[in-house]
Amino acid sequence: MENVLPPADELVLVDRELAQLDARRSQLLARRAWLLQLLQAAAVPAAPAPTGWGAPQRPVADTAPPSAQNVLLTLGGVLLTIAAIAFTLVSWGSMGIGGRAAVLGLVTSAALAAPVLLLRRGLASTAEAVGALGLVLMVLDAYALHRVALAGTDGVAYAAAASAVLAGAWAAYGTALGGLRIPLPVAVVAAQLPLPLAAVAADAGGYALGWAVLATAAVDAALLLWARPASVRATAAVGLCVSGSWALLTGGWFSVTDPVPAVGLLVAGGALALYVGWRTPAVTVLGAVVAALAAVAAAGGVLRSALPPEWVVPGYVACGLAVAAVWRTALPRPVRLGALGTGAGVLGVGVLWALPPAAALLLDSAVRTTPVWSGPGTPAFGEYPATAPLVLLTATAALVPVRRTWARCAALLVAWATVLSLPVSLGLGHAPRPVVLLLTAVAAAVVACRPQWLVRDLPAPAAVEHERAGDDVPAGADHAGAPESGTADGAARVPEGGTAEAPAGVFGAPTWPGWGGAGVPAAARAAVVPATAAAWSGFAAAVVSSVGAVLIGLDTRAWTFTVLGVLLVLFAGVAALGERGARAVAACLAVAAATGLVLAGTRAAGLPDHRTAVWLLVVPIATVGLGARLRRHPLMLPVELSGAAVGLLAIGFAFERPATLALVLALCGVLATATALRPESRRAAGWVAAVLFVLATWVRLVASDVTTPEAYTLPVTLPALALGVLRRRRDPEASSWTAYGPGLAATLVPSVIAAWTDPDWVRPLVLGLGALAVTLLGGRYRLQAPLVLGGAALALVALHELAPYVVQVVGALPRWLPPALAGLLLLAVGATYEQRLRDARRLRERLGRMR
């Protein structure tokens, strides 16, 4: 039985616990501060007693002594090496045989013996520098020996022998003096040269050179696996990579030109890589990949020499699949992974080789040079091997058994490319091409709507993660981990020892409202993801095939109507049954197909562009009607936006005939008005309708040669003022400039400009009366915008009307009178400046109080 405290008692208990915690925390902080003080006091050494004023202080070194020592030793060794080289190359000829031998022997022996004494005294860095100098001197000794005593011998052969001797000598020297780190890695570097140089000196050919380099790589592998110093292993690893790569590349080259002798080199190199990878866990996968590539190159080269040219790539693909079959063996997992990855890579290269026929089918009509509906043109792309579909079919068969989402989607796309490549690879001519494109589009669309058969046996993502981690996933655990009903995420109940159950949705997976995104329980989402990926893959393939079908359908009139009709039905079906995200795209594509049908019909009837524009409005009318039926359906907005885009296209077609353009604009305005008046709030459609109606009116006026500005401005002013009145009724605090300013300015400003250039009296009279009415209304209702705009227009009209009389009066008056009157006016204003200023302030305040 569980006893629950009342909220008040529980609150008191919680406050008491918090107070105790705060007190304990304060104690611990005080103790911590005291301990820190003790540690700091112990760490600070006692200050030395001063020895007097101006006592010298110990200088602080800029660098650590070992670093400075190493720099000095390195510079000294470099200078001595340069001096030895200069002596050997420049001053050697001025000495006799005895002198040369004595100098070289003395200097080299001293350089090699000095590290022994230096190591005994603990001078390791100095010993390293002197030892490095001794190694360089040994190379110079070998060079000098060839120049003086063995000048007649072959240089490459002498270099091979000298490098072998030096490698052995340095290895013995480094082993004897274990305190030196340089000789042994340098010996490994020298050991890379004897066998390749010997092969070059013997002029044994590229094949023997490859074997020599491979033997050197085997020596490097032995050092890597069994040598003790880490520096030797690192140097051997670099040498193994360089020599092994050289040998395998040589074998790969010979597998193309002379494949049979190259088999041994490739097999040996692959075996060496596999053995090193087997013994070195860090590079096991890499070693398996190298070995698998060598095996594919060896077997593929042999097949290459026996097969016709069109079967070469399928032969390599077969070898890659044979290597990938190692995955089913009992070898260690890293080895199997390397083999599987290599086989997949070879198969991927084969697929890339086989894709051009499918691309040719899709793009051949895109580069057409003949007019539309003039019949098939000459193919722009050349012929392709007939074995390309076989490679794609093989890739499909290899991908289907893989129980992963990516593999099933890839298998679907490769199978689609296989079908597309058939007409081009098999040379079937032009007739089957549109049929194949339409069939692939339909089949891919079916997969987009019903992908459950493609992913039915796939494990859930949770099970995949367990499998990747090496865990055993029990049968029926696809939805493991789903919480029971009543938990925080609301997932379905999972019976003990069972799996989550839910009704099957469109994709054969458990589904709930909103299954495409948020609101899907975790157990259901795991099954939805593979189906969604497959659906999108099918939809992408359907779209690409549709584009190719449209392009190739333009060859003839009959195929154009057939392709567009099929695509209209197809994408309408996907919009009704497909995946949620794809449905919107499919709806837009269905509208595009309908638009293409209308354009094709008008072109077949020989209608001009301005009549085509009117017929194009059939599509926006249909989309507006469909949107009214869909109401708040997710497809409503994409359908209506697609129809609006077709309306813009119709406006573009009507530009050549202003009268038709006005009609099209007015009809588009009607459609926008019908959209705005629906129960859903569509303010944007209302504004678009207003703009379209105004543009239609203006275009109609231009077509009728109307030049009066009021005919253009009044259709804007009256609706704008009506909207302003409605705005002020809903929001009495709204500014008059926002409500009435745009509408009044749209008419008053152009009319005032026209009145100043109009010699007649009708426009100024009507404009003056209108401006007076606007001014009086602004003063009556205390509205700032009508008062200011109407008053300004009235003043400008009055000034325009009085200007001729003023000019006449000024011309009749004496010339001294205008300046005198201006002076009197200034005097009067100056005398009453304060009063005028107060009047201006009161006027500004009154205007400011107006809306």
Side-chain angles (χ1 to χ4, degrees), residues 281-303:
V283 295
T284 302
V285 176
L286 178 61
V289 169
V290 173
L293 285 175
V296 170
V302 174
L303 291 178

Side-chain angles (χ1 to χ4, degrees), residues 575-622:
L577 303 174
E579 199 272 338
R580 184 173 182 179
R583 293 171 67 185
V585 182
C588 297
L589 293 176
V591 174
T595 305
L597 280 173
V598 174
L599 286 174
T602 56
R603 286 295 178 265
L607 298 180
D609 287 347
H610 65 277
R611 292 189 179 180
T612 300
V614 179
W615 280 102
L616 279 175
L617 293 180
V618 173
V619 178
I621 292 172

Side-chain angles (χ1 to χ4, degrees), residues 171-220:
Y173 183 73
T175 304
L177 296 181
L180 297 181
R181 294 173 295 179
I182 295 178
L184 290 178
V186 173
V188 175
V189 174
Q192 309 299 311
L193 301 177
L195 292 179
L197 290 179
V200 173
D203 198 13
Y207 187 70
L209 178 62
W211 275 106
V213 175
L214 183 60
T216 304
V219 174
D220 293 331

Side-chain angles (χ1 to χ4, degrees), residues 823-842:
L824 291 175
L825 179 61
L826 292 176
L827 289 175
V829 172
T832 60
Y833 174 75
E834 294 295 335
Q835 182 64 33
R836 302 287 79 77
L837 186 60
R838 287 194 294 271
D839 294 341
R841 289 174 178 172
R842 283 196 295 270

Side-chain angles (χ1 to χ4, degrees), residues 213-270:
V213 175
L214 183 60
T216 304
V219 174
D220 293 331
L223 294 174
L224 174 63
L225 296 176
W226 292 295
R228 294 292 298 275
S231 59
V232 174
R233 291 199 302 270
T235 309
V238 175
L240 174 62
C241 293
V242 175
S243 301
S245 300
W246 182 283
L248 289 175
L249 289 176
T250 302
W253 172 260
F254 280 109
S255 70
V256 177
T257 57
D258 191 12
V260 176
V263 171
L265 183 60
L266 289 172
V267 171

Side-chain angles (χ1 to χ4, degrees), residues 204-652:
Y207 187 70
L209 178 62
W211 275 106
V213 175
L214 183 60
T216 304
V219 174
D220 293 331
L223 294 174
L224 174 63
L225 296 176
W226 292 295
R228 294 292 298 275
S231 59
V232 174
R233 291 199 302 270
T235 309
V238 175
L240 174 62
C241 293
V242 175
S243 301
S245 300
W246 182 283
L248 289 175
L249 289 176
T250 302
W253 172 260
F254 280 109
S255 70
V256 177
T257 57
D258 191 12
V260 176
V263 171
L265 183 60
L266 289 172
V267 171
L272 178 62
L274 183 60
Y275 180 74
V276 174
W278 194 296
R279 295 292 303 271
T280 310
V283 295
T284 302
V285 176
L286 178 61
V289 169
V290 173
L293 285 175
V296 170
V302 174
L303 291 178
R304 181 189 186 95
S305 62
L307 294 176
E310 62 270 15
W311 286 93
V312 171
V313 174
Y316 278 103
V317 170
C319 296
L321 292 177
V323 168
V326 174
W327 176 257
R328 298 296 181 183
T329 64
L331 292 174
R333 182 180 178 85
V335 176
R336 293 187 292 124
L337 282 176
L340 180 63
T342 302
V346 173
L347 183 61
V349 174
V351 169
L352 292 178
W353 172 83
L355 282 179
L361 181 67
L362 294 170
L363 301 177
D364 196 14
S365 297
V367 293
R368 67 170 65 249
T369 57
T370 56
V372 177
W373 293 350
S374 60
T378 303
F381 302 97
E383 297 181 355
Y384 297 93
T387 54
L390 178 61
V391 173
L392 295 175
L393 185 61
T394 303
T396 304
L399 288 170
V400 168
V402 181
R403 298 178 66 245
R404 292 291 184 270
T405 302
W406 64 267
R408 293 298 171 82
C409 295
L412 172 64
L413 295 178
V414 175
W416 164 74
T418 303
V419 179
L420 291 183
S421 64
L422 290 175
V424 178
S425 298
L426 301 180
L428 301 180
H430 183 272
R433 296 189 177 191
V435 177
V436 170
L437 287 169
L438 285 179
L439 289 178
T440 54
V442 172
V446 171
V447 174
C449 296
R450 293 292 184 271
Q452 64 269 20
W453 62 271
L454 192 65
V455 297
R456 183 176 301 167
D457 59 334
L458 295 185
V464 173
E465 293 300 327
H466 283 297
E467 185 176 342
R468 289 176 180 173
D471 300 336
D472 292 332
V473 182
D478 287 353
H479 306 292
E484 296 184 2
S485 60
T487 54
D489 61 355
R493 178 180 298 273
V494 181
E496 194 170 347
T499 58
E501 297 178 0
V506 174
F507 297 109
T511 180
W512 282 265
W515 61 268
V520 183
R525 193 180 302 116
V528 169
V529 168
T532 304
W536 274 105
S537 300
F539 182 71
V543 171
V544 175
S545 290
S546 301
V547 173
V550 170
L551 293 175
I552 205 169
L554 296 177
D555 291 341
T556 61
R557 182 179 302 180
W559 270 116
T560 300
F561 285 99
T562 302
V563 168
L564 292 175
V566 172
L567 294 182
L568 175 60
V569 176
L570 179 65
F571 286 118
V574 176
L577 303 174
E579 199 272 338
R580 184 173 182 179
R583 293 171 67 185
V585 182
C588 297
L589 293 176
V591 174
T595 305
L597 280 173
V598 174
L599 286 174
T602 56
R603 286 295 178 265
L607 298 180
D609 287 347
H610 65 277
R611 292 189 179 180
T612 300
V614 179
W615 280 102
L616 279 175
L617 293 180
V618 173
V619 178
I621 292 172
T623 57
V624 170
L626 185 60
R629 291 184 61 86
L630 293 175
R631 290 295 179 90
R632 298 188 181 277
H633 195 277
L635 293 181
M636 178 181 63
L637 185 59
V639 168
E640 290 182 341
L641 290 178
S642 302
V646 179
L648 290 176
L649 181 64
I651 292 173

